[in-house]
Amino acid sequence: MYEFESGPEIPDAVLLDWIKRMFTFKIWCLESNNNGGKTHLVRQFGRLLGFEKEVSSPTFSIINQYECSNTSFGLNQIYHADLYRLNTLNEVHDAGVIDYLYQDTYFIIEWPELILPLLNEMPYAWIKIDT
């Protein structure tokens, strides 16, 4: 696990440093309270990585996919999940989240606490946003 702590507004230089450091981790977990800036942080990543569509919270869709136009980081696409509405590992499985954990792609997860037992099997970065 690689852990960062931050407030809601993060300078681009810091974000770029995080992106470079987190390349070894395919899974990026975002922790904060409600309205703590998780989706805002994904928007900041998206701006730097050139997401081709606007970042929206996947609270109801559970998982969003973003194509990256800035391939200088070697990323073609990123998946973004919000597990807030899920209550059990069975619901996580039914939503298809587990499949993304084992793909060779980058996966940003809001409210990842529910799947911590699964993450212990793999490397991941943990970003805690203090507001």
Side-chain angles (χ1 to χ4, degrees):
M1 179 175 86
Y2 194 76
E3 185 169 333
F4 297 97
E5 288 195 28
S6 133
E9 285 300 322
I10 304 162
D12 285 356
V14 173
L15 289 169
L16 290 170
D17 182 56
W18 286 5
I19 290 169
K20 290 174 189 171
R21 290 175 188 236
M22 292 190 305
F23 267 163
T24 58
F25 304 98
K26 299 284 187 174
I27 300 166
W28 305 353
C29 299
L30 307 181
E31 175 191 1
S32 76
N33 56 17
N34 254 349
N35 299 315
K38 295 176 292 296
T39 300
H40 179 72
L41 178 58
V42 177
R43 282 189 191 105
Q44 290 180 287
F45 283 138
R47 184 175 43 76
L48 293 173
L49 296 171
F51 287 1
E52 293 183 351
K53 67 178 184 179
E54 181 67 29
V55 170
S56 61
S57 175
T59 301
F60 294 101
S61 63
I62 307 297
I63 299 172
N64 289 341
Q65 176 183 336
Y66 302 104
E67 302 297 324
C68 301
S69 63
N70 180 356
T71 57
S72 62
F73 293 100
L75 300 173
N76 295 319
Q77 64 185 5
I78 289 185
Y79 293 94
H80 172 208
D82 184 332
L83 307 184
Y84 181 75
R85 294 186 321 115
L86 304 181
N87 298 304
T88 67
L89 288 176
N90 282 337
E91 289 178 358
V92 169
H93 184 274
D94 291 345
V97 173
I98 293 173
D99 297 334
Y100 290 94
L101 291 175
Y102 294 100
Q103 287 185 9
D104 188 28
T105 188
Y106 287 86
F107 195 27
I108 300 173
I109 306 169
E110 297 184 31
W111 300 99
E113 294 81 1
L114 178 62
I115 61 168
L116 266 175
L118 302 174
L119 294 178
N120 288 329
E121 303 171 7
M122 55 195 70
Y124 60 92
W126 192 276
I127 300 172
K128 182 176 181 180
I129 304 168
D130 290 323
T131 54

